[in-house]
């Protein structure tokens, strides 16, 4: 285990549903990230939080809404998603934003129907 | 064109054999280069991390090399095991992009008995 825990592991939701993905780490890290991994594609960075402040939003549609209430927890709120949003969503954390080692969670496999 | 290109896209080898995976990158300058192993449906796990000044780094049966002049890295797996079947991802930490991680698309390795 990497010390980064994501829940749920699997999620099936309709296009009109609202759901949330949760990530937590107790590694004492200050930076947390959301990535999207689609089949046969490189990981795509979605959001970065550094010391609880969002420092990066890679042109992610507003139907994805991140929340970082403290440095140990990160959420991704989902609403009115599209079938093409189906993917593996990975959370990661690192001691600091940038050059330090990143540890990934197991991911949430999201299917939008 | 992605800044980190991996080859081959997929590889099948017999248990006990060695193999080498390639990574070519254009990211410059960079802070470090990492190799991750990702089992199906799980998050990536770090294998090695090398700074720009390092040429080689080993982790058990995994040995990574780095040639910063030619902007190439390789991951050599010795005496492969069935559990080595996974996707191997090369990641470059872009120094001039705020430490952003640039991911390759991965090499899918399958080890057969």
């Amino acid at each position: 285990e990497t010390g980064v825990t994501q829940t749920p592991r699997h999620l099936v939701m309709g296009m009109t549903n609202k759901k949330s993905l949760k990530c937590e780490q107790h590694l004492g890290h200050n930076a947390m990230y959301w990535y999207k991994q689609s089949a046969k594609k490189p990981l795509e960075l979605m959001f970065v939080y550094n010391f609880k402040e969002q420092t990066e939003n890679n042109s992610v549609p507003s139907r994805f809404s991140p929340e970082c209430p403290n440095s140990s927890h990160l959420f991704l709120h989902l609403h009115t998603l599209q079938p093409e949003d189906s993917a593996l969503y990975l959370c990661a954390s690192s001691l600091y934003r940038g050059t330090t080692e990143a540890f990934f969670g197991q991911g949430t496999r999201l299917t939008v129907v | 064109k992605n800044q980190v290109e991996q080859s081959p896209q997929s590889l099948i080898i017999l248990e006990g054999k060695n193999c080498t995976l390639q990574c070519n990158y254009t990211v410059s300058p960079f802070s470090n280069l990492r190799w991750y192993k990702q089992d199906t449906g799980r998050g990536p796990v770090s294998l090695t991390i090398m700074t720009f000044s390092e040429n080689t780094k080993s982790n058990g049966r995994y040995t990574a090399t780095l040639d910063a002049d030619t902007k190439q890295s390789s991951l050599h797996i010795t005496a492969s095991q069935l559990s080595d079947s996974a996707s191997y991802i090369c990641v470059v930490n872009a120094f001039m992009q705020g430490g952003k991680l640039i991911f390759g698309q991965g090499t899918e390795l399958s080890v057969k008995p």
Side-chain angles (χ1 to χ4, degrees), chain A residues 54-70:
Chain A
Q54 187 180 131
T55 58
E56 195 162 339
N57 175 342
N58 270 350
S59 304
V60 181
S62 59
R63 57 185 184 270
F64 295 91
S65 174
E67 179 191 0
C68 188
N70 55 62

Side-chain angles (χ1 to χ4, degrees), chain A residues 1-2 9 35 37 40-43 45 56 58 88 90 97-102 104-106, chain B residues 2 31-32 34 36 38 41-46 49 89 93 97-101 103-105:
Chain A
E1 297 301 326
T2 61
R9 291 293 311 278
Y35 286 90
Q37 187 175 35
K40 309 295 182 187
K41 285 183 164 184
L43 270 73
L45 180 64
E56 195 162 339
N58 270 350
L88 182 68
L90 291 162
R97 168 83 169 97
T99 60
T100 55
E101 182 67 63
F104 287 83
Q106 301 280 40
Chain B
N2 198 21
S31 303
N32 54 65
R34 313 164 184 205
Y36 284 88
Q38 185 176 20
R42 302 176 81 89
V45 175
S46 178
I49 178 169
I89 304 172
N93 187 309
Q97 299 180 46
K100 184 177 180 179
L101 298 182
F103 289 80
Q105 79 278 25

Side-chain angles (χ1 to χ4, degrees), chain A residues 34-101:
Chain A
W34 279 117
Y35 286 90
K36 177 184 179 183
Q37 187 175 35
S38 303
K40 309 295 182 187
K41 285 183 164 184
L43 270 73
E44 301 170 52
L45 180 64
M46 300 174 71
F47 301 104
V48 181
Y49 277 82
N50 198 34
F51 291 93
K52 300 188 298 178
E53 298 296 320
Q54 187 180 131
T55 58
E56 195 162 339
N57 175 342
N58 270 350
S59 304
V60 181
S62 59
R63 57 185 184 270
F64 295 91
S65 174
E67 179 191 0
C68 188
N70 55 62
S71 57
S72 298
H73 293 86
L74 185 65
F75 295 89
L76 187 62
H77 303 300
L78 316 170
H79 65 96
T80 59
L81 295 192
Q82 304 298 312
E84 59 264 29
D85 296 323
S86 298
L88 182 68
Y89 288 85
L90 291 162
C91 172
S93 73
S94 62
L95 184 58
Y96 300 112
R97 168 83 169 97
T99 60
T100 55
E101 182 67 63

Side-chain angles (χ1 to χ4, degrees), chain B residues 11-23:
Chain B
L11 181 63
I12 300 174
I13 62 173
L14 293 176
E15 187 180 12
K17 298 296 186 184
N18 303 337
C19 67
T20 300
L21 314 180
Q22 300 291 342
C23 174

